[in-house]
Amino acid sequence: DSGVTQTPKHLITATGQRVTLRCSPRSGDLSVYWYQQSLDQGLQFLIHYYNGEERAKGNILERFSAQQFPDLHSELNLSSLELGDSALYFCASSVRDRFNSPLHFGNGTRLTVT
Amino acid sequence: AQSVTQLGSHVSVSEGALVLLRCNYSSSVPPYLFWYVQYPNQGLQLLLKYTSAATLVKGINGFEAEFKKSETSFHLTKPSAHMSDAAEYFCAVSVSNFGNEKLTFGTGTRLTIIP
């Protein structure tokens, strides 16, 4: 058990809809990272927050947004969903804001867009 | 820009045989290198990391990796494969570029162990 909790585990929704994925980091970790894993794109970095502030953006679409709250949990909002957004979305946390700190991954949220 | 290439999307080895998973990186500055493992229906778990202290890095579950700057490689090895090693393995590279860091993963290698 990594200590990172992601909810829900599975999400099935229709095109055009909006969903919110939630992540609770390990106790004491200030950094939260979001990754998208799909068969054709592999693991893609989306966004990184540290102690409530956005630190880095990766290949995140404008339809997607995220935030980290004062209690350090994070939410990833996906809107105007398309079939191609179907993927496994991972949250990871680490103590520091540097990428040389090991990441601790949650078990992911599997999103299916129909 | 940094990148990492994993040679072989699928590798099969017999139980008890040597495991060798290949990873080559590209970086204009000294990198940090990682190997992560993903078991079915789980998130990624850190196996080991290289942060310039020692070129031979030992990780969990008997795995180790050697950083070879001349070959820009960071191959993962285990002397004797066990059935429980069946999983997907990801090599990742991170470059310290303050203010614009990211961890870039390879495409992964699925390891199958043959009884």
Side-chain angles (χ1 to χ4, degrees), chain B residues 47-82:
Chain B
L47 269 180
L48 50 81
K49 70 172 185 176
Y50 166 77
T51 56
S52 78
T55 57
L56 183 61
V57 183
K58 294 188 184 298
I60 62 171
N61 301 337
F63 284 93
E64 62 182 36
E66 186 172 7
F67 172 72
K68 292 187 176 180
K69 184 178 178 180
S70 60
E71 299 177 8
T72 60
S73 69
F74 191 57
H75 301 330
L76 181 70
T77 60
K78 181 173 180 177
S80 176
H82 191 273

PDB file of all heavy atoms in Angstrom, chain B residues 47-82:
ATOM      1  N   LEU B  47      11.364   0.832  -7.922  1.00  0.00           N
ATOM      2  CA  LEU B  47      12.294  -0.283  -7.751  1.00  0.00           C
ATOM      3  C   LEU B  47      13.645   0.220  -7.278  1.00  0.00           C
ATOM      4  O   LEU B  47      14.245  -0.331  -6.356  1.00  0.00           O
ATOM      5  CB  LEU B  47      12.497  -1.018  -9.075  1.00  0.00           C
ATOM      6  CG  LEU B  47      11.603  -2.182  -9.428  1.00  0.00           C
ATOM      7  CD1 LEU B  47      12.015  -2.729 -10.792  1.00  0.00           C
ATOM      8  CD2 LEU B  47      11.661  -3.273  -8.377  1.00  0.00           C
ATOM      9  N   LEU B  48      14.144   1.241  -7.975  1.00  0.00           N
ATOM     10  CA  LEU B  48      15.436   1.810  -7.621  1.00  0.00           C
ATOM     11  C   LEU B  48      15.614   3.149  -8.328  1.00  0.00           C
ATOM     12  O   LEU B  48      14.866   3.462  -9.254  1.00  0.00           O
ATOM     13  CB  LEU B  48      16.571   0.853  -8.000  1.00  0.00           C
ATOM     14  CG  LEU B  48      16.605   0.264  -9.406  1.00  0.00           C
ATOM     15  CD1 LEU B  48      17.188   1.234 -10.408  1.00  0.00           C
ATOM     16  CD2 LEU B  48      17.390  -1.044  -9.424  1.00  0.00           C
ATOM     17  N   LYS B  49      16.633   3.913  -7.864  1.00  0.00           N
ATOM     18  CA  LYS B  49      16.909   5.186  -8.506  1.00  0.00           C
ATOM     19  C   LYS B  49      18.396   5.470  -8.512  1.00  0.00           C
ATOM     20  O   LYS B  49      19.134   5.040  -7.627  1.00  0.00           O
ATOM     21  CB  LYS B  49      16.158   6.322  -7.806  1.00  0.00           C
ATOM     22  CG  LYS B  49      16.664   6.664  -6.411  1.00  0.00           C
ATOM     23  CD  LYS B  49      15.979   7.932  -5.894  1.00  0.00           C
ATOM     24  CE  LYS B  49      16.551   8.349  -4.554  1.00  0.00           C
ATOM     25  NZ  LYS B  49      15.968   9.622  -4.079  1.00  0.00           N
ATOM     26  N   TYR B  50      18.833   6.182  -9.527  1.00  0.00           N
ATOM     27  CA  TYR B  50      20.211   6.629  -9.666  1.00  0.00           C
ATOM     28  C   TYR B  50      20.235   8.139  -9.525  1.00  0.00           C
ATOM     29  O   TYR B  50      19.529   8.851 -10.245  1.00  0.00           O
ATOM     30  CB  TYR B  50      20.785   6.232 -11.019  1.00  0.00           C
ATOM     31  CG  TYR B  50      22.083   6.951 -11.335  1.00  0.00           C
ATOM     32  CD1 TYR B  50      23.275   6.557 -10.734  1.00  0.00           C
ATOM     33  CD2 TYR B  50      22.100   8.040 -12.196  1.00  0.00           C
ATOM     34  CE1 TYR B  50      24.446   7.238 -10.992  1.00  0.00           C
ATOM     35  CE2 TYR B  50      23.272   8.710 -12.461  1.00  0.00           C
ATOM     36  CZ  TYR B  50      24.443   8.314 -11.853  1.00  0.00           C
ATOM     37  OH  TYR B  50      25.604   8.982 -12.106  1.00  0.00           O
ATOM     38  N   THR B  51      21.078   8.606  -8.569  1.00  0.00           N
ATOM     39  CA  THR B  51      21.167  10.053  -8.375  1.00  0.00           C
ATOM     40  C   THR B  51      22.616  10.512  -8.329  1.00  0.00           C
ATOM     41  O   THR B  51      22.945  11.479  -7.654  1.00  0.00           O
ATOM     42  CB  THR B  51      20.456  10.472  -7.075  1.00  0.00           C
ATOM     43  OG1 THR B  51      21.022   9.727  -5.982  1.00  0.00           O
ATOM     44  CG2 THR B  51      18.977  10.187  -7.140  1.00  0.00           C
ATOM     45  N   SER B  52      23.505   9.804  -9.019  1.00  0.00           N
ATOM     46  CA  SER B  52      24.928  10.145  -9.216  1.00  0.00           C
ATOM     47  C   SER B  52      25.839   9.738  -8.067  1.00  0.00           C
ATOM     48  O   SER B  52      27.015  10.031  -8.096  1.00  0.00           O
ATOM     49  CB  SER B  52      25.113  11.641  -9.506  1.00  0.00           C
ATOM     50  OG  SER B  52      25.030  12.394  -8.311  1.00  0.00           O
ATOM     51  N   ALA B  53      25.317   9.070  -7.046  1.00  0.00           N
ATOM     52  CA  ALA B  53      26.168   8.662  -5.934  1.00  0.00           C
ATOM     53  C   ALA B  53      27.011   7.436  -6.298  1.00  0.00           C
ATOM     54  O   ALA B  53      28.214   7.421  -6.073  1.00  0.00           O
ATOM     55  CB  ALA B  53      25.322   8.371  -4.701  1.00  0.00           C
ATOM     56  N   ALA B  54      26.393   6.428  -6.875  1.00  0.00           N
ATOM     57  CA  ALA B  54      27.099   5.202  -7.256  1.00  0.00           C
ATOM     58  C   ALA B  54      26.513   4.711  -8.557  1.00  0.00           C
ATOM     59  O   ALA B  54      25.297   4.786  -8.763  1.00  0.00           O
ATOM     60  CB  ALA B  54      26.951   4.137  -6.175  1.00  0.00           C
ATOM     61  N   THR B  55      27.363   4.184  -9.425  1.00  0.00           N
ATOM     62  CA  THR B  55      26.871   3.772 -10.746  1.00  0.00           C
ATOM     63  C   THR B  55      26.087   2.476 -10.700  1.00  0.00           C
ATOM     64  O   THR B  55      25.229   2.242 -11.548  1.00  0.00           O
ATOM     65  CB  THR B  55      28.036   3.632 -11.739  1.00  0.00           C
ATOM     66  OG1 THR B  55      28.964   2.693 -11.199  1.00  0.00           O
ATOM     67  CG2 THR B  55      28.716   4.962 -11.970  1.00  0.00           C
ATOM     68  N   LEU B  56      26.359   1.612  -9.722  1.00  0.00           N
ATOM     69  CA  LEU B  56      25.588   0.379  -9.573  1.00  0.00           C
ATOM     70  C   LEU B  56      24.591   0.590  -8.440  1.00  0.00           C
ATOM     71  O   LEU B  56      24.975   0.826  -7.296  1.00  0.00           O
ATOM     72  CB  LEU B  56      26.507  -0.804  -9.271  1.00  0.00           C
ATOM     73  CG  LEU B  56      25.825  -2.170  -9.169  1.00  0.00           C
ATOM     74  CD1 LEU B  56      25.152  -2.528 -10.500  1.00  0.00           C
ATOM     75  CD2 LEU B  56      26.818  -3.241  -8.757  1.00  0.00           C
ATOM     76  N   VAL B  57      23.335   0.495  -8.792  1.00  0.00           N
ATOM     77  CA  VAL B  57      22.277   0.785  -7.835  1.00  0.00           C
ATOM     78  C   VAL B  57      21.516  -0.488  -7.522  1.00  0.00           C
ATOM     79  O   VAL B  57      21.084  -1.196  -8.442  1.00  0.00           O
ATOM     80  CB  VAL B  57      21.306   1.835  -8.401  1.00  0.00           C
ATOM     81  CG1 VAL B  57      20.235   2.184  -7.365  1.00  0.00           C
ATOM     82  CG2 VAL B  57      22.056   3.089  -8.831  1.00  0.00           C
ATOM     83  N   LYS B  58      21.359  -0.775  -6.263  1.00  0.00           N
ATOM     84  CA  LYS B  58      20.582  -1.954  -5.854  1.00  0.00           C
ATOM     85  C   LYS B  58      19.193  -1.509  -5.417  1.00  0.00           C
ATOM     86  O   LYS B  58      19.034  -0.487  -4.727  1.00  0.00           O
ATOM     87  CB  LYS B  58      21.292  -2.676  -4.724  1.00  0.00           C
ATOM     88  CG  LYS B  58      22.622  -3.286  -5.153  1.00  0.00           C
ATOM     89  CD  LYS B  58      23.217  -4.163  -4.076  1.00  0.00           C
ATOM     90  CE  LYS B  58      24.585  -4.691  -4.490  1.00  0.00           C
ATOM     91  NZ  LYS B  58      24.517  -5.536  -5.703  1.00  0.00           N
ATOM     92  N   GLY B  59      18.194  -2.292  -5.843  1.00  0.00           N
ATOM     93  CA  GLY B  59      16.832  -1.941  -5.504  1.00  0.00           C
ATOM     94  C   GLY B  59      16.140  -3.044  -4.726  1.00  0.00           C
ATOM     95  O   GLY B  59      16.784  -3.928  -4.169  1.00  0.00           O
ATOM     96  N   ILE B  60      14.835  -2.986  -4.757  1.00  0.00           N
ATOM     97  CA  ILE B  60      14.065  -3.976  -4.027  1.00  0.00           C
ATOM     98  C   ILE B  60      13.898  -5.250  -4.855  1.00  0.00           C
ATOM     99  O   ILE B  60      14.117  -5.237  -6.069  1.00  0.00           O
ATOM    100  CB  ILE B  60      12.682  -3.426  -3.629  1.00  0.00           C
ATOM    101  CG1 ILE B  60      11.864  -3.069  -4.878  1.00  0.00           C
ATOM    102  CG2 ILE B  60      12.816  -2.224  -2.720  1.00  0.00           C
ATOM    103  CD1 ILE B  60      10.420  -2.717  -4.577  1.00  0.00           C
ATOM    104  N   ASN B  61      13.537  -6.330  -4.188  1.00  0.00           N
ATOM    105  CA  ASN B  61      13.230  -7.604  -4.853  1.00  0.00           C
ATOM    106  C   ASN B  61      14.402  -8.170  -5.647  1.00  0.00           C
ATOM    107  O   ASN B  61      14.188  -8.934  -6.591  1.00  0.00           O
ATOM    108  CB  ASN B  61      12.008  -7.458  -5.768  1.00  0.00           C
ATOM    109  CG  ASN B  61      10.765  -6.999  -5.017  1.00  0.00           C
ATOM    110  OD1 ASN B  61      10.657  -7.178  -3.800  1.00  0.00           O
ATOM    111  ND2 ASN B  61       9.840  -6.404  -5.719  1.00  0.00           N
ATOM    112  N   GLY B  62      15.627  -7.826  -5.280  1.00  0.00           N
ATOM    113  CA  GLY B  62      16.801  -8.403  -5.923  1.00  0.00           C
ATOM    114  C   GLY B  62      17.208  -7.762  -7.230  1.00  0.00           C
ATOM    115  O   GLY B  62      18.127  -8.249  -7.906  1.00  0.00           O
ATOM    116  N   PHE B  63      16.549  -6.694  -7.624  1.00  0.00           N
ATOM    117  CA  PHE B  63      16.897  -6.002  -8.855  1.00  0.00           C
ATOM    118  C   PHE B  63      18.047  -5.018  -8.642  1.00  0.00           C
ATOM    119  O   PHE B  63      18.222  -4.488  -7.556  1.00  0.00           O
ATOM    120  CB  PHE B  63      15.686  -5.236  -9.401  1.00  0.00           C
ATOM    121  CG  PHE B  63      14.660  -6.108 -10.058  1.00  0.00           C
ATOM    122  CD1 PHE B  63      13.582  -6.596  -9.334  1.00  0.00           C
ATOM    123  CD2 PHE B  63      14.779  -6.432 -11.394  1.00  0.00           C
ATOM    124  CE1 PHE B  63      12.630  -7.414  -9.935  1.00  0.00           C
ATOM    125  CE2 PHE B  63      13.833  -7.237 -12.006  1.00  0.00           C
ATOM    126  CZ  PHE B  63      12.768  -7.733 -11.279  1.00  0.00           C
ATOM    127  N   GLU B  64      18.813  -4.808  -9.696  1.00  0.00           N
ATOM    128  CA  GLU B  64      19.833  -3.779  -9.691  1.00  0.00           C
ATOM    129  C   GLU B  64      19.970  -3.194 -11.082  1.00  0.00           C
ATOM    130  O   GLU B  64      19.525  -3.795 -12.074  1.00  0.00           O
ATOM    131  CB  GLU B  64      21.176  -4.311  -9.192  1.00  0.00           C
ATOM    132  CG  GLU B  64      21.798  -5.394 -10.011  1.00  0.00           C
ATOM    133  CD  GLU B  64      23.110  -5.868  -9.388  1.00  0.00           C
ATOM    134  OE1 GLU B  64      23.219  -5.926  -8.145  1.00  0.00           O
ATOM    135  OE2 GLU B  64      24.037  -6.177 -10.166  1.00  0.00           O
ATOM    136  N   ALA B  65      20.577  -2.010 -11.158  1.00  0.00           N
ATOM    137  CA  ALA B  65      20.775  -1.347 -12.443  1.00  0.00           C
ATOM    138  C   ALA B  65      22.121  -0.639 -12.413  1.00  0.00           C
ATOM    139  O   ALA B  65      22.563  -0.166 -11.369  1.00  0.00           O
ATOM    140  CB  ALA B  65      19.649  -0.357 -12.724  1.00  0.00           C
ATOM    141  N   GLU B  66      22.749  -0.586 -13.569  1.00  0.00           N
ATOM    142  CA  GLU B  66      24.048   0.058 -13.675  1.00  0.00           C
ATOM    143  C   GLU B  66      23.966   1.249 -14.610  1.00  0.00           C
ATOM    144  O   GLU B  66      23.518   1.125 -15.756  1.00  0.00           O
ATOM    145  CB  GLU B  66      25.116  -0.913 -14.172  1.00  0.00           C
ATOM    146  CG  GLU B  66      26.510  -0.308 -14.152  1.00  0.00           C
ATOM    147  CD  GLU B  66      27.605  -1.310 -14.467  1.00  0.00           C
ATOM    148  OE1 GLU B  66      27.282  -2.444 -14.838  1.00  0.00           O
ATOM    149  OE2 GLU B  66      28.787  -0.930 -14.341  1.00  0.00           O
ATOM    150  N   PHE B  67      24.400   2.399 -14.122  1.00  0.00           N
ATOM    151  CA  PHE B  67      24.438   3.613 -14.932  1.00  0.00           C
ATOM    152  C   PHE B  67      25.743   3.616 -15.734  1.00  0.00           C
ATOM    153  O   PHE B  67      26.829   3.555 -15.162  1.00  0.00           O
ATOM    154  CB  PHE B  67      24.372   4.850 -14.043  1.00  0.00           C
ATOM    155  CG  PHE B  67      24.582   6.146 -14.757  1.00  0.00           C
ATOM    156  CD1 PHE B  67      23.594   6.651 -15.594  1.00  0.00           C
ATOM    157  CD2 PHE B  67      25.754   6.873 -14.597  1.00  0.00           C
ATOM    158  CE1 PHE B  67      23.782   7.852 -16.264  1.00  0.00           C
ATOM    159  CE2 PHE B  67      25.942   8.081 -15.260  1.00  0.00           C
ATOM    160  CZ  PHE B  67      24.953   8.568 -16.089  1.00  0.00           C
ATOM    161  N   LYS B  68      25.627   3.671 -17.057  1.00  0.00           N
ATOM    162  CA  LYS B  68      26.800   3.736 -17.926  1.00  0.00           C
ATOM    163  C   LYS B  68      26.683   4.991 -18.773  1.00  0.00           C
ATOM    164  O   LYS B  68      25.948   5.014 -19.771  1.00  0.00           O
ATOM    165  CB  LYS B  68      26.896   2.490 -18.796  1.00  0.00           C
ATOM    166  CG  LYS B  68      27.217   1.221 -18.024  1.00  0.00           C
ATOM    167  CD  LYS B  68      27.475   0.051 -18.956  1.00  0.00           C
ATOM    168  CE  LYS B  68      27.883  -1.192 -18.178  1.00  0.00           C
ATOM    169  NZ  LYS B  68      28.143  -2.344 -19.069  1.00  0.00           N
ATOM    170  N   LYS B  69      27.450   6.000 -18.366  1.00  0.00           N
ATOM    171  CA  LYS B  69      27.361   7.287 -19.058  1.00  0.00           C
ATOM    172  C   LYS B  69      27.806   7.171 -20.508  1.00  0.00           C
ATOM    173  O   LYS B  69      27.205   7.771 -21.409  1.00  0.00           O
ATOM    174  CB  LYS B  69      28.228   8.321 -18.322  1.00  0.00           C
ATOM    175  CG  LYS B  69      28.136   9.720 -18.893  1.00  0.00           C
ATOM    176  CD  LYS B  69      28.971  10.682 -18.080  1.00  0.00           C
ATOM    177  CE  LYS B  69      28.914  12.082 -18.676  1.00  0.00           C
ATOM    178  NZ  LYS B  69      29.737  13.043 -17.893  1.00  0.00           N
ATOM    179  N   SER B  70      28.863   6.392 -20.757  1.00  0.00           N
ATOM    180  CA  SER B  70      29.407   6.283 -22.112  1.00  0.00           C
ATOM    181  C   SER B  70      28.400   5.649 -23.072  1.00  0.00           C
ATOM    182  O   SER B  70      28.423   5.918 -24.272  1.00  0.00           O
ATOM    183  CB  SER B  70      30.691   5.461 -22.101  1.00  0.00           C
ATOM    184  OG  SER B  70      30.436   4.156 -21.611  1.00  0.00           O
ATOM    185  N   GLU B  71      27.533   4.810 -22.526  1.00  0.00           N
ATOM    186  CA  GLU B  71      26.534   4.140 -23.355  1.00  0.00           C
ATOM    187  C   GLU B  71      25.150   4.774 -23.192  1.00  0.00           C
ATOM    188  O   GLU B  71      24.194   4.289 -23.814  1.00  0.00           O
ATOM    189  CB  GLU B  71      26.460   2.652 -22.986  1.00  0.00           C
ATOM    190  CG  GLU B  71      27.764   1.914 -23.208  1.00  0.00           C
ATOM    191  CD  GLU B  71      27.704   0.452 -22.761  1.00  0.00           C
ATOM    192  OE1 GLU B  71      26.601  -0.026 -22.415  1.00  0.00           O
ATOM    193  OE2 GLU B  71      28.763  -0.192 -22.728  1.00  0.00           O
ATOM    194  N   THR B  72      25.038   5.785 -22.366  1.00  0.00           N
ATOM    195  CA  THR B  72      23.746   6.416 -21.999  1.00  0.00           C
ATOM    196  C   THR B  72      22.716   5.346 -21.693  1.00  0.00           C
ATOM    197  O   THR B  72      21.580   5.372 -22.198  1.00  0.00           O
ATOM    198  CB  THR B  72      23.231   7.387 -23.087  1.00  0.00           C
ATOM    199  OG1 THR B  72      23.028   6.673 -24.322  1.00  0.00           O
ATOM    200  CG2 THR B  72      24.195   8.523 -23.309  1.00  0.00           C
ATOM    201  N   SER B  73      23.116   4.392 -20.856  1.00  0.00           N
ATOM    202  CA  SER B  73      22.216   3.287 -20.543  1.00  0.00           C
ATOM    203  C   SER B  73      22.010   3.135 -19.047  1.00  0.00           C
ATOM    204  O   SER B  73      22.826   3.574 -18.233  1.00  0.00           O
ATOM    205  CB  SER B  73      22.750   1.978 -21.126  1.00  0.00           C
ATOM    206  OG  SER B  73      23.927   1.584 -20.426  1.00  0.00           O
ATOM    207  N   PHE B  74      20.915   2.496 -18.716  1.00  0.00           N
ATOM    208  CA  PHE B  74      20.562   2.227 -17.314  1.00  0.00           C
ATOM    209  C   PHE B  74      19.736   0.933 -17.314  1.00  0.00           C
ATOM    210  O   PHE B  74      18.564   0.928 -16.994  1.00  0.00           O
ATOM    211  CB  PHE B  74      19.785   3.408 -16.727  1.00  0.00           C
ATOM    212  CG  PHE B  74      19.600   3.353 -15.231  1.00  0.00           C
ATOM    213  CD1 PHE B  74      20.685   3.266 -14.373  1.00  0.00           C
ATOM    214  CD2 PHE B  74      18.321   3.405 -14.679  1.00  0.00           C
ATOM    215  CE1 PHE B  74      20.510   3.224 -12.997  1.00  0.00           C
ATOM    216  CE2 PHE B  74      18.138   3.366 -13.297  1.00  0.00           C
ATOM    217  CZ  PHE B  74      19.230   3.272 -12.457  1.00  0.00           C
ATOM    218  N   HIS B  75      20.370  -0.161 -17.685  1.00  0.00           N
ATOM    219  CA  HIS B  75      19.673  -1.437 -17.819  1.00  0.00           C
ATOM    220  C   HIS B  75      19.375  -2.056 -16.453  1.00  0.00           C
ATOM    221  O   HIS B  75      20.183  -1.973 -15.529  1.00  0.00           O
ATOM    222  CB  HIS B  75      20.502  -2.413 -18.649  1.00  0.00           C
ATOM    223  CG  HIS B  75      20.820  -1.921 -20.028  1.00  0.00           C
ATOM    224  ND1 HIS B  75      20.000  -1.062 -20.735  1.00  0.00           N
ATOM    225  CD2 HIS B  75      21.892  -2.180 -20.840  1.00  0.00           C
ATOM    226  CE1 HIS B  75      20.530  -0.805 -21.908  1.00  0.00           C
ATOM    227  NE2 HIS B  75      21.683  -1.465 -22.006  1.00  0.00           N
ATOM    228  N   LEU B  76      18.242  -2.713 -16.378  1.00  0.00           N
ATOM    229  CA  LEU B  76      17.788  -3.353 -15.133  1.00  0.00           C
ATOM    230  C   LEU B  76      18.067  -4.847 -15.213  1.00  0.00           C
ATOM    231  O   LEU B  76      17.765  -5.478 -16.235  1.00  0.00           O
ATOM    232  CB  LEU B  76      16.288  -3.119 -14.954  1.00  0.00           C
ATOM    233  CG  LEU B  76      15.642  -3.688 -13.689  1.00  0.00           C
ATOM    234  CD1 LEU B  76      16.102  -2.904 -12.455  1.00  0.00           C
ATOM    235  CD2 LEU B  76      14.119  -3.639 -13.796  1.00  0.00           C
ATOM    236  N   THR B  77      18.636  -5.413 -14.154  1.00  0.00           N
ATOM    237  CA  THR B  77      18.941  -6.836 -14.159  1.00  0.00           C
ATOM    238  C   THR B  77      18.527  -7.489 -12.848  1.00  0.00           C
ATOM    239  O   THR B  77      18.402  -6.831 -11.805  1.00  0.00           O
ATOM    240  CB  THR B  77      20.446  -7.103 -14.381  1.00  0.00           C
ATOM    241  OG1 THR B  77      21.175  -6.474 -13.311  1.00  0.00           O
ATOM    242  CG2 THR B  77      20.917  -6.575 -15.716  1.00  0.00           C
ATOM    243  N   LYS B  78      18.313  -8.799 -12.945  1.00  0.00           N
ATOM    244  CA  LYS B  78      18.085  -9.634 -11.771  1.00  0.00           C
ATOM    245  C   LYS B  78      18.658 -11.003 -12.103  1.00  0.00           C
ATOM    246  O   LYS B  78      18.354 -11.553 -13.166  1.00  0.00           O
ATOM    247  CB  LYS B  78      16.602  -9.729 -11.438  1.00  0.00           C
ATOM    248  CG  LYS B  78      16.325 -10.577 -10.191  1.00  0.00           C
ATOM    249  CD  LYS B  78      14.862 -10.523  -9.781  1.00  0.00           C
ATOM    250  CE  LYS B  78      14.635 -11.371  -8.534  1.00  0.00           C
ATOM    251  NZ  LYS B  78      13.235 -11.294  -8.040  1.00  0.00           N
ATOM    252  N   PRO B  79      19.506 -11.563 -11.251  1.00  0.00           N
ATOM    253  CA  PRO B  79      20.212 -12.802 -11.593  1.00  0.00           C
ATOM    254  C   PRO B  79      19.275 -13.989 -11.838  1.00  0.00           C
ATOM    255  O   PRO B  79      19.543 -14.813 -12.715  1.00  0.00           O
ATOM    256  CB  PRO B  79      21.100 -13.049 -10.371  1.00  0.00           C
ATOM    257  CG  PRO B  79      21.219 -11.732  -9.696  1.00  0.00           C
ATOM    258  CD  PRO B  79      19.935 -11.009  -9.944  1.00  0.00           C
ATOM    259  N   SER B  80      18.201 -14.067 -11.077  1.00  0.00           N
ATOM    260  CA  SER B  80      17.347 -15.247 -11.160  1.00  0.00           C
ATOM    261  C   SER B  80      15.882 -14.819 -11.088  1.00  0.00           C
ATOM    262  O   SER B  80      15.415 -14.330 -10.051  1.00  0.00           O
ATOM    263  CB  SER B  80      17.682 -16.210 -10.014  1.00  0.00           C
ATOM    264  OG  SER B  80      16.813 -17.318 -10.003  1.00  0.00           O
ATOM    265  N   ALA B  81      15.164 -15.029 -12.169  1.00  0.00           N
ATOM    266  CA  ALA B  81      13.770 -14.590 -12.239  1.00  0.00           C
ATOM    267  C   ALA B  81      12.858 -15.459 -11.383  1.00  0.00           C
ATOM    268  O   ALA B  81      13.028 -16.689 -11.305  1.00  0.00           O
ATOM    269  CB  ALA B  81      13.291 -14.624 -13.687  1.00  0.00           C
ATOM    270  N   HIS B  82      11.879 -14.805 -10.805  1.00  0.00           N
ATOM    271  CA  HIS B  82      10.863 -15.487 -10.003  1.00  0.00           C
ATOM    272  C   HIS B  82       9.509 -15.195 -10.623  1.00  0.00           C
ATOM    273  O   HIS B  82       9.302 -14.166 -11.254  1.00  0.00           O
ATOM    274  CB  HIS B  82      10.923 -14.951  -8.557  1.00  0.00           C
ATOM    275  CG  HIS B  82      10.126 -15.757  -7.590  1.00  0.00           C
ATOM    276  ND1 HIS B  82       8.789 -15.537  -7.359  1.00  0.00           N
ATOM    277  CD2 HIS B  82      10.473 -16.797  -6.797  1.00  0.00           C
ATOM    278  CE1 HIS B  82       8.342 -16.401  -6.465  1.00  0.00           C
ATOM    279  NE2 HIS B  82       9.345 -17.176  -6.107  1.00  0.00           N
TER     280      HIS B  82
END
